[in-house]
Amino acid sequence: MIKKTVIILILISSVVFPALFYHLKIPHKLIGHHLSPSDALAKADAIVVVSGDSDRLPHAVSLYKQGFAPTLILSGATRESSRSNAKAMEIQAMKEGIPK
């Protein structure tokens, strides 16, 4: 009986913990500071925004409005609808005052 309980606990933990670990973005948080640049921002030719987290576009719009680059390049496909994520970001950026 104890062996069966231990096996069940091992099986459950081998599925639940990795799923929870990934869902909470723990791997991203653990390695993110190594991948994130810490240099001071400098002016550029363009700001590239890859769809993903919801804070990317507002951050890019803020950088654009601060004059870090004259152009936003929006990138992102779609799975569910006919409108790409890039198009959705374009519409949102235009609502926030970014020219087409």
Side-chain angles (χ1 to χ4, degrees):
M1 182 66 177
I2 291 179
K3 282 185 176 184
K4 187 175 180 180
T5 303
V6 169
I7 291 173
I8 290 172
L9 287 174
I10 290 172
L11 289 174
I12 290 173
S13 64
S14 67
V15 172
V16 172
F17 289 128
L20 185 61
F21 188 76
Y22 185 78
H23 178 71
L24 295 175
K25 297 185 178 181
I26 292 172
H28 303 89
K29 292 174 183 175
L30 292 175
I31 65 170
H33 67 280
H34 296 292
L35 301 175
S36 180
S38 58
D39 297 337
L41 294 177
K43 290 193 176 195
D45 294 327
I47 299 167
V48 178
V49 186
V50 180
S51 66
D53 291 340
S54 61
D55 62 342
R56 292 179 183 180
L57 181 63
H59 186 65
V61 167
S62 174
L63 293 173
Y64 175 89
K65 289 181 176 180
Q66 292 175 54
F68 280 100
T71 304
L72 288 181
I73 299 172
L74 307 172
S75 175
T78 186
R79 289 186 188 178
E80 292 85 27
S81 70
S82 60
R83 182 171 64 181
S84 71
N85 292 342
K87 186 65 176 176
M89 288 190 296
E90 176 187 23
I91 292 168
Q92 184 60 39
M94 290 172 63
K95 286 180 183 176
E96 296 186 34
I98 306 299
K100 186 167 174 88

